Each structure stands twice: as structure tokens, then as C-alpha cells.
mmCIF file of all heavy atoms in Angstrom:
data_model
loop_
_atom_site.group_PDB
_atom_site.id
_atom_site.type_symbol
_atom_site.label_atom_id
_atom_site.label_comp_id
_atom_site.label_asym_id
_atom_site.label_seq_id
_atom_site.Cartn_x
_atom_site.Cartn_y
_atom_site.Cartn_z
ATOM 1 N N GLY W 3 0.802 -1.231 0.011
ATOM 2 C CA GLY W 3 0.019 0.004 0.009
ATOM 3 C C GLY W 3 0.777 1.275 -0.012
ATOM 4 O O GLY W 3 0.344 2.316 0.385
ATOM 5 N N ASP W 4 2.101 1.191 -0.451
ATOM 6 C CA ASP W 4 2.926 2.355 -0.416
ATOM 7 C C ASP W 4 2.577 3.305 -1.592
ATOM 8 O O ASP W 4 1.862 2.869 -2.527
ATOM 9 C CB ASP W 4 4.386 2.013 -0.445
ATOM 10 C CG ASP W 4 5.232 2.889 0.375
ATOM 11 O OD1 ASP W 4 4.931 4.091 0.443
ATOM 12 O OD2 ASP W 4 6.235 2.434 0.939
ATOM 13 N N THR W 5 3.075 4.502 -1.620
ATOM 14 C CA THR W 5 2.783 5.493 -2.698
ATOM 15 C C THR W 5 3.700 5.316 -3.854
ATOM 16 O O THR W 5 4.929 4.863 -3.661
ATOM 17 C CB THR W 5 2.868 6.892 -2.194
ATOM 18 O OG1 THR W 5 4.279 7.157 -1.806
ATOM 19 C CG2 THR W 5 1.974 7.102 -0.920
ATOM 20 N N PHE W 6 3.276 5.655 -5.008
ATOM 21 C CA PHE W 6 4.136 5.561 -6.188
ATOM 22 C C PHE W 6 5.332 6.530 -6.124
ATOM 23 O O PHE W 6 6.375 6.274 -6.612
ATOM 24 C CB PHE W 6 3.317 5.798 -7.467
ATOM 25 C CG PHE W 6 2.460 4.563 -7.821
ATOM 26 C CD1 PHE W 6 1.116 4.615 -7.694
ATOM 27 C CD2 PHE W 6 3.028 3.495 -8.464
ATOM 28 C CE1 PHE W 6 0.358 3.542 -7.911
ATOM 29 C CE2 PHE W 6 2.258 2.430 -8.815
ATOM 30 C CZ PHE W 6 0.905 2.435 -8.554
ATOM 31 N N GLN W 7 5.072 7.638 -5.411
ATOM 32 C CA GLN W 7 6.234 8.609 -5.245
ATOM 33 C C GLN W 7 7.365 7.980 -4.532
ATOM 34 O O GLN W 7 8.516 8.053 -4.962
ATOM 35 C CB GLN W 7 5.659 9.796 -4.474
ATOM 36 C CG GLN W 7 6.664 10.929 -4.325
ATOM 37 C CD GLN W 7 6.109 12.089 -3.480
ATOM 38 O OE1 GLN W 7 5.577 11.905 -2.426
ATOM 39 N NE2 GLN W 7 6.224 13.256 -4.055
ATOM 40 N N ARG W 8 7.078 7.254 -3.441
ATOM 41 C CA ARG W 8 8.131 6.574 -2.711
ATOM 42 C C ARG W 8 8.710 5.438 -3.420
ATOM 43 O O ARG W 8 9.931 5.185 -3.418
ATOM 44 C CB ARG W 8 7.550 6.164 -1.310
ATOM 45 C CG ARG W 8 7.493 7.265 -0.299
ATOM 46 C CD ARG W 8 6.573 6.992 0.833
ATOM 47 N NE ARG W 8 6.772 5.643 1.436
ATOM 48 C CZ ARG W 8 7.609 5.412 2.542
ATOM 49 N NH1 ARG W 8 8.330 6.360 3.003
ATOM 50 N NH2 ARG W 8 7.641 4.197 3.061
ATOM 51 N N ILE W 9 7.868 4.667 -4.098
ATOM 52 C CA ILE W 9 8.372 3.564 -4.916
ATOM 53 C C ILE W 9 9.390 4.012 -5.956
ATOM 54 O O ILE W 9 10.472 3.469 -6.082
ATOM 55 C CB ILE W 9 7.247 2.809 -5.638
ATOM 56 C CG1 ILE W 9 6.298 2.123 -4.529
ATOM 57 C CG2 ILE W 9 7.673 1.819 -6.644
ATOM 58 C CD1 ILE W 9 5.021 1.591 -5.135
ATOM 59 N N ASN W 10 9.003 5.120 -6.639
ATOM 60 C CA ASN W 10 9.906 5.575 -7.723
ATOM 61 C C ASN W 10 11.210 6.186 -7.118
ATOM 62 O O ASN W 10 12.139 6.325 -7.913
ATOM 63 C CB ASN W 10 9.170 6.648 -8.521
ATOM 64 C CG ASN W 10 8.023 6.064 -9.310
ATOM 65 O OD1 ASN W 10 8.105 4.899 -9.708
ATOM 66 N ND2 ASN W 10 7.000 6.827 -9.600
ATOM 67 N N ALA W 11 11.117 6.581 -5.879
ATOM 68 C CA ALA W 11 12.353 7.264 -5.302
ATOM 69 C C ALA W 11 13.291 6.216 -4.645
ATOM 70 O O ALA W 11 14.423 6.648 -4.199
ATOM 71 C CB ALA W 11 11.896 8.234 -4.239
ATOM 72 N N VAL W 12 12.916 4.977 -4.595
ATOM 73 C CA VAL W 12 13.818 4.010 -3.940
ATOM 74 C C VAL W 12 15.178 3.938 -4.600
ATOM 75 O O VAL W 12 16.255 3.741 -3.894
ATOM 76 C CB VAL W 12 13.175 2.592 -3.919
ATOM 77 C CG1 VAL W 12 14.141 1.491 -3.541
ATOM 78 C CG2 VAL W 12 12.020 2.606 -2.945
ATOM 79 N N ALA W 13 15.216 4.045 -5.880
ATOM 80 C CA ALA W 13 16.528 3.962 -6.643
ATOM 81 C C ALA W 13 17.533 5.034 -6.134
ATOM 82 O O ALA W 13 18.727 4.819 -6.154
ATOM 83 C CB ALA W 13 16.328 4.153 -8.137
ATOM 84 N N ALA W 14 16.971 6.164 -5.691
ATOM 85 C CA ALA W 14 17.819 7.208 -5.060
ATOM 86 C C ALA W 14 17.462 7.583 -3.683
ATOM 87 O O ALA W 14 17.352 8.707 -3.368
ATOM 88 C CB ALA W 14 17.807 8.428 -6.039
ATOM 89 N N TRP W 15 17.226 6.592 -2.905
ATOM 90 C CA TRP W 15 16.701 6.811 -1.550
ATOM 91 C C TRP W 15 17.542 7.724 -0.694
ATOM 92 O O TRP W 15 17.033 8.506 0.154
ATOM 93 C CB TRP W 15 16.520 5.478 -0.814
ATOM 94 C CG TRP W 15 17.818 4.743 -0.547
ATOM 95 C CD1 TRP W 15 18.424 3.803 -1.328
ATOM 96 C CD2 TRP W 15 18.655 4.933 0.585
ATOM 97 N NE1 TRP W 15 19.560 3.382 -0.679
ATOM 98 C CE2 TRP W 15 19.780 4.042 0.450
ATOM 99 C CE3 TRP W 15 18.549 5.718 1.782
ATOM 100 C CZ2 TRP W 15 20.736 3.985 1.392
ATOM 101 C CZ3 TRP W 15 19.603 5.663 2.709
ATOM 102 C CH2 TRP W 15 20.647 4.833 2.438
ATOM 103 N N TYR W 16 18.896 7.664 -0.887
ATOM 104 C CA TYR W 16 19.796 8.469 -0.061
ATOM 105 C C TYR W 16 19.609 9.989 -0.247
ATOM 106 O O TYR W 16 19.985 10.753 0.536
ATOM 107 C CB TYR W 16 21.222 8.138 -0.284
ATOM 108 C CG TYR W 16 21.517 7.736 -1.744
ATOM 109 C CD1 TYR W 16 21.733 8.592 -2.754
ATOM 110 C CD2 TYR W 16 21.419 6.355 -2.167
ATOM 111 C CE1 TYR W 16 21.958 8.241 -4.078
ATOM 112 C CE2 TYR W 16 21.681 5.962 -3.481
ATOM 113 C CZ TYR W 16 21.934 6.937 -4.413
ATOM 114 O OH TYR W 16 22.084 6.529 -5.733
ATOM 115 N N ASP W 17 19.060 10.358 -1.467
ATOM 116 C CA ASP W 17 18.825 11.795 -1.752
ATOM 117 C C ASP W 17 17.397 12.203 -1.578
ATOM 118 O O ASP W 17 17.046 13.382 -1.549
ATOM 119 C CB ASP W 17 19.307 12.167 -3.151
ATOM 120 C CG ASP W 17 20.805 12.122 -3.275
ATOM 121 O OD1 ASP W 17 21.479 12.424 -2.362
ATOM 122 O OD2 ASP W 17 21.246 11.732 -4.399
ATOM 123 N N ALA W 18 16.461 11.226 -1.594
ATOM 124 C CA ALA W 18 15.044 11.585 -1.558
ATOM 125 C C ALA W 18 14.533 11.871 -0.167
ATOM 126 O O ALA W 18 14.997 11.350 0.803
ATOM 127 C CB ALA W 18 14.280 10.351 -2.147
ATOM 128 N N PRO W 19 13.646 12.763 -0.080
ATOM 129 C CA PRO W 19 13.124 13.299 1.230
ATOM 130 C C PRO W 19 11.911 12.538 1.767
ATOM 131 O O PRO W 19 11.294 12.885 2.753
ATOM 132 C CB PRO W 19 12.642 14.696 0.974
ATOM 133 C CG PRO W 19 12.175 14.686 -0.438
ATOM 134 C CD PRO W 19 13.049 13.685 -1.185
ATOM 135 N N PHE W 20 11.562 11.343 1.107
ATOM 136 C CA PHE W 20 10.294 10.702 1.421
ATOM 137 C C PHE W 20 10.413 9.603 2.481
ATOM 138 O O PHE W 20 9.396 8.955 2.759
ATOM 139 C CB PHE W 20 9.686 10.105 0.122
ATOM 140 C CG PHE W 20 9.695 11.081 -0.999
ATOM 141 C CD1 PHE W 20 10.337 10.813 -2.125
ATOM 142 C CD2 PHE W 20 8.965 12.255 -0.889
ATOM 143 C CE1 PHE W 20 10.304 11.688 -3.181
ATOM 144 C CE2 PHE W 20 8.910 13.167 -1.903
ATOM 145 C CZ PHE W 20 9.665 12.895 -3.125
ATOM 146 N N PHE W 21 11.565 9.334 3.007
ATOM 147 C CA PHE W 21 11.775 8.165 3.927
ATOM 148 C C PHE W 21 12.157 8.504 5.291
ATOM 149 O O PHE W 21 12.861 9.541 5.519
ATOM 150 C CB PHE W 21 12.832 7.216 3.308
ATOM 151 C CG PHE W 21 12.602 6.786 1.847
ATOM 152 C CD1 PHE W 21 13.312 7.368 0.861
ATOM 153 C CD2 PHE W 21 11.546 5.945 1.589
ATOM 154 C CE1 PHE W 21 13.100 7.049 -0.483
ATOM 155 C CE2 PHE W 21 11.251 5.567 0.272
ATOM 156 C CZ PHE W 21 12.036 6.142 -0.804
ATOM 157 N N THR W 22 11.697 7.836 6.255
ATOM 158 C CA THR W 22 11.970 8.032 7.713
ATOM 159 C C THR W 22 13.417 7.553 7.984
ATOM 160 O O THR W 22 14.024 6.881 7.164
ATOM 161 C CB THR W 22 11.011 7.289 8.566
ATOM 162 O OG1 THR W 22 11.273 5.814 8.452
ATOM 163 C CG2 THR W 22 9.592 7.556 8.242
ATOM 164 N N ASP W 23 13.903 7.995 9.115
ATOM 165 C CA ASP W 23 15.293 7.601 9.548
ATOM 166 C C ASP W 23 15.389 6.026 9.639
ATOM 167 O O ASP W 23 16.364 5.474 9.283
ATOM 168 C CB ASP W 23 15.669 8.238 10.813
ATOM 169 C CG ASP W 23 15.983 9.712 10.712
ATOM 170 O OD1 ASP W 23 16.104 10.204 9.535
ATOM 171 O OD2 ASP W 23 15.977 10.421 11.738
ATOM 172 N N ALA W 24 14.335 5.425 10.158
ATOM 173 C CA ALA W 24 14.293 3.965 10.311
ATOM 174 C C ALA W 24 14.289 3.289 8.891
ATOM 175 O O ALA W 24 15.012 2.327 8.707
ATOM 176 C CB ALA W 24 13.126 3.546 11.110
ATOM 177 N N GLU W 25 13.583 3.819 7.957
ATOM 178 C CA GLU W 25 13.564 3.289 6.617
ATOM 179 C C GLU W 25 14.912 3.427 5.950
ATOM 180 O O GLU W 25 15.403 2.551 5.204
ATOM 181 C CB GLU W 25 12.489 3.927 5.789
ATOM 182 C CG GLU W 25 11.087 3.511 6.213
ATOM 183 C CD GLU W 25 9.945 4.347 5.561
ATOM 184 O OE1 GLU W 25 10.273 5.456 5.075
ATOM 185 O OE2 GLU W 25 8.821 3.886 5.556
ATOM 186 N N ARG W 26 15.563 4.584 6.184
ATOM 187 C CA ARG W 26 16.863 4.842 5.567
ATOM 188 C C ARG W 26 17.930 3.863 6.161
ATOM 189 O O ARG W 26 18.796 3.363 5.458
ATOM 190 C CB ARG W 26 17.306 6.268 5.848
ATOM 191 C CG ARG W 26 16.551 7.243 5.131
ATOM 192 C CD ARG W 26 17.016 8.758 5.458
ATOM 193 N NE ARG W 26 16.252 9.659 4.670
ATOM 194 C CZ ARG W 26 16.467 9.957 3.391
ATOM 195 N NH1 ARG W 26 17.533 9.367 2.789
ATOM 196 N NH2 ARG W 26 15.711 10.908 2.721
ATOM 197 N N ALA W 27 17.794 3.560 7.494
ATOM 198 C CA ALA W 27 18.680 2.558 8.064
ATOM 199 C C ALA W 27 18.490 1.149 7.475
ATOM 200 O O ALA W 27 19.487 0.473 7.186
ATOM 201 C CB ALA W 27 18.452 2.515 9.580
ATOM 202 N N ALA W 28 17.291 0.830 7.189
ATOM 203 C CA ALA W 28 16.953 -0.449 6.556
ATOM 204 C C ALA W 28 17.465 -0.509 5.189
ATOM 205 O O ALA W 28 18.035 -1.551 4.704
ATOM 206 C CB ALA W 28 15.445 -0.776 6.606
ATOM 207 N N LEU W 29 17.318 0.601 4.377
ATOM 208 C CA LEU W 29 17.784 0.653 3.030
ATOM 209 C C LEU W 29 19.307 0.581 2.962
ATOM 210 O O LEU W 29 19.907 -0.010 2.034
ATOM 211 C CB LEU W 29 17.214 1.858 2.299
ATOM 212 C CG LEU W 29 15.718 1.800 2.053
ATOM 213 C CD1 LEU W 29 15.209 3.193 1.645
ATOM 214 C CD2 LEU W 29 15.383 0.790 0.854
#
């Protein structure tokens, strides 16, 4: 149920502003 905005940003997660600190740690 995630958003397409976040899905599309996964390839550049380290620069994208859409993820929490916990999600960044997992990525």
C-alpha cells in the first residue's frame, strides 16, 4: 500500500526526502 512517489524514489533513496530515519537505516 505504499505510494508511487516513494516507490519511484527507492533507486535514489539516499537523496530523496520521502523516507523516515528507520527506513533509511533499513535501506
Side-chain angles (χ1 to χ4, degrees):
D4 217 326
T5 66
F6 284 102
Q7 184 182 51
R8 279 162 48 92
I9 292 171
N10 292 332
V12 167
W15 65 266
Y16 34 82
D17 291 325
F20 310 120
F21 306 106
T22 66
D23 288 346
E25 289 169 339
R26 290 179 179 281
L29 288 167

